[in-house]
Amino acid sequence: MTSFTNATSMRRISDSAVRRLSAYLRLLRELSRAGRRVVSSVDLAEGSGATSAQVRKDLSHFGSFGTRGRGYPVQELRDRLEGILGLGRRWRVAVVGVGKIGAALLGYRDLERNGFDVVAAFDADPDKVGTEKFGVRVRSMEDLEAVVRDSGVEIAILAVPPSAAGDVAARLAEAGIGGILSFAGTGLELDGRVAVRAMDVTLELEGLTYALSGAGAADRGAAET
Amino acid sequence: MTSFTNATSMRRISDSAVRRLSAYLRLLRELSRAGRRVVSSVDLAEGSGATSAQVRKDLSHFGSFGTRGRGYPVQELRDRLEGILGLGRRWRVAVVGVGKIGAALLGYRDLERNGFDVVAAFDADPDKVGTEKFGVRVRSMEDLEAVVRDSGVEIAILAVPPSAAGDVAARLAEAGIGGILSFAGTGLELDGRVAVRAMDVTLELEGLTYALSGAGAADRGAAET
DNA sequence: AACTGTGAAAACTTTCACAGCC
DNA sequence: GGCTGTGAAAGTTTTCACAGTT
């Protein structure tokens, strides 16, 4: 049933573990800029909100990078994590839906800084089509498939209204997109060929209101890092 | 150490379970608008990306709302979930940091629609202070504590640069904020009196690049809903 | 027949604790 | 002495499967 892949312990790693790897990487880049040579699992844990055991376990899935008694070499670990996360190159991103959120992302310099090039933007509103936002021309939704294919867009940031999200996602999948980051607040039904992550401000705010009222409020008061 | 609270099975419920509750609620509101009276765990699961067993377990933590052989009453379950999530009333929110993301959120009608009133905005840039964005006056960071206290702000959306995040979060905590939704991409060290959730576009995009390269790409190709 | 509510099992994730190395 | 790498233990979440109810 399951076929074991080869050497370097290729176990399925959880979403939360991947998120932690990103957090370690962010910290490592900072340390690297600051000239730090070596870092311990305790330091990595503190700077990223994990525990030191978690850091060591997470890293051990991909090999053994550290030196006992000393710690992890900052530069090397950073490079390895970039490799693991697929950040050894730049990625071509399209923003689909140029409303409040889509527009904000077009102007968000952090994407570029982290290896993501926004190469196209789309909107259904004819008044927006043809205009330029932060140096990216807004195109018609009709051109979606063609542009995705021709420009080799690998990741789409989906910021259209919920009612349109399903259709647009299906079209992106059909056009061969690799991954979708959805702000649409709707579960997308796509086959497993497309990687999907969702972000939802309202959902997270509701997590806070839960914590602040009734059931949730009861537990809080102990919690630590 | 742990003190058992009372009756209605007050077990600690996980963040992901809370997120699912929000998703059920969203769907229930839609069904309610559409005039649907009853809904099964299978329907709820399909519309929210969970499994039917998950739906039943999640709901069973808070009591027993359904009728065997029939399903869950839409209106009633919606009201109960709103109660559980603390959405029986409106919440007072402040946006701290009016850059790309903060500004987008100020204009984001979905917050209001879902029970969150943005009652204040803050920025450190003197050029922005005093201006108005989407009907909200931008105030000086110096007024943070005073306004939070006087206007009874319960939740802060933190959208300042990472370098400032720690300080600002500490000030918000000191001013008695209840919860923080952070876009700052930095782990906030706060004691457990403040509920914290983080959102991070770059982190989620890196989750996608992981899935699309090397280690991650290996597994994908099977996955289903 | 349809569907909930729930114990028990399985799967997964986190934490512990320590041998091994520098 | 300080710190990694890792099995084993503990804890948590998900899934299964079915008795019970309409």
Side-chain angles (χ1 to χ4, degrees):
Chain A
M1 220 125 213
T2 332
S3 70
F4 284 118
T5 339
N6 70 340
T8 327
S9 73
M10 207 162 250
R11 240 182 117 270
R12 228 267 220 348
I13 190 182
S14 68
D15 276 9
S16 18
V18 175
R19 261 186 271 269
R20 286 196 300 268
L21 293 181
S22 281
Y24 306 155
L25 175 57
R26 191 167 299 180
L27 185 57
L28 285 163
R29 283 169 167 163
E30 223 175 90
L31 293 171
S32 175
R33 267 196 303 280
R36 180 81 162 276
R37 282 300 168 65
V38 180
V39 66
S40 72
S41 57
V42 173
D43 297 340
L44 277 170
E46 266 169 18
S48 67
T51 68
S52 64
Q54 235 164 6
V55 171
R56 297 197 299 277
K57 250 284 153 39
D58 287 344
L59 297 179
S60 77
H61 290 324
F62 299 95
S64 146
F65 311 133
T67 313
R68 292 170 197 236
R70 189 158 301 277
Y72 301 91
V74 172
Q75 307 267 335
E76 197 189 309
L77 184 56
R78 184 201 54 193
D79 293 349
R80 292 297 256 100
L81 282 183
E82 285 180 348
I84 290 165
L85 292 169
L87 301 172
R89 64 183 190 79
R90 303 191 65 80
W91 291 80
R92 301 169 75 74
V93 174
V95 172
V96 186
V98 188
K100 285 277 146 29
I101 293 178
L105 289 169
L106 282 179
Y108 191 46
R109 306 293 314 288
D110 250 37
L111 295 187
E112 206 186 23
R113 222 176 282 134
N114 283 283
F116 300 94
D117 292 318
V118 180
V119 298
F122 301 89
D123 202 283
D125 179 351
D127 290 352
K128 284 181 189 160
V129 173
T131 65
E132 234 184 56
K133 287 245 172 185
F134 303 105
V136 183
R137 183 154 60 90
V138 179
R139 291 155 162 287
S140 162
M141 286 297 287
E142 284 169 29
D143 303 339
L144 189 67
E145 286 87 348
V147 174
V148 165
R149 268 194 263 264
D150 298 352
S151 312
V153 175
E154 302 163 294
I155 293 175
I157 297 180
L158 186 62
V160 303
S163 53
D167 277 5
V168 176
R171 289 175 60 189
L172 287 165
E174 189 54 35
I177 202 85
I180 296 177
L181 177 58
S182 170
F183 283 83
T186 298
L188 307 175
E189 282 314 317
L190 297 172
D191 61 46
R193 281 174 315 183
V194 181
V196 178
R197 292 254 183 161
M199 295 189 75
D200 190 325
V201 176
T202 303
L203 211 82
E204 299 300 328
L205 283 173
E206 291 178 357
L208 293 178
T209 62
Y210 170 79
L212 295 179
S213 23
D219 329 303
R220 290 201 3 292
E224 193 77 6
T225 304
Chain B
M1 220 126 214
T2 333
S3 69
F4 284 117
T5 339
N6 71 338
T8 326
S9 73
M10 208 159 247
R11 243 184 113 268
R12 229 265 221 346
I13 190 182
S14 67
D15 276 9
S16 18
V18 175
R19 261 186 271 268
R20 287 195 301 268
L21 293 181
S22 281
Y24 307 154
L25 175 57
R26 191 166 300 180
L27 184 56
L28 285 163
R29 283 168 168 165
E30 223 175 88
L31 293 171
S32 175
R33 265 196 303 279
R36 179 80 162 277
R37 281 302 168 67
V38 180
V39 66
S40 72
S41 57
V42 174
D43 297 341
L44 277 170
E46 266 169 16
S48 67
T51 68
S52 65
Q54 234 164 8
V55 171
R56 295 197 299 277
K57 252 283 162 20
D58 287 344
L59 296 179
S60 77
H61 290 323
F62 299 97
S64 145
F65 311 133
T67 312
R68 291 168 198 236
R70 189 160 300 277
Y72 301 91
V74 172
Q75 308 266 334
E76 195 189 309
L77 184 55
R78 183 201 56 191
D79 293 348
R80 291 298 255 102
L81 283 183
E82 286 180 348
I84 291 164
L85 292 169
L87 300 172
R89 64 180 188 82
R90 302 191 66 80
W91 291 80
R92 301 169 74 74
V93 174
V95 171
V96 186
V98 187
K100 286 277 147 26
I101 293 178
L105 290 169
L106 282 179
Y108 191 47
R109 305 293 314 287
D110 250 38
L111 296 187
E112 206 187 21
R113 223 177 282 132
N114 283 283
F116 300 95
D117 292 318
V118 179
V119 298
F122 301 90
D123 202 284
D125 179 352
D127 290 352
K128 284 181 189 157
V129 172
T131 65
E132 238 187 53
K133 288 244 173 187
F134 303 103
V136 184
R137 183 154 61 91
V138 179
R139 291 156 163 286
S140 161
M141 286 296 286
E142 284 169 27
D143 303 338
L144 190 67
E145 287 87 348
V147 174
V148 165
R149 267 193 264 264
D150 297 351
S151 312
V153 175
E154 303 163 294
I155 294 175
I157 297 180
L158 187 61
V160 302
S163 53
D167 276 5
V168 177
R171 288 176 59 190
L172 287 165
E174 190 53 35
I177 202 87
I180 297 177
L181 177 58
S182 171
F183 283 83
T186 298
L188 306 175
E189 283 314 319
L190 297 173
D191 61 47
R193 281 174 314 183
V194 181
V196 179
R197 293 254 182 159
M199 295 189 75
D200 191 326
V201 176
T202 303
L203 212 82
E204 299 300 327
L205 284 173
E206 291 179 357
L208 293 177
T209 62
Y210 170 80
L212 296 178
S213 25
D219 329 302
R220 288 205 0 297
E224 192 79 6
T225 304

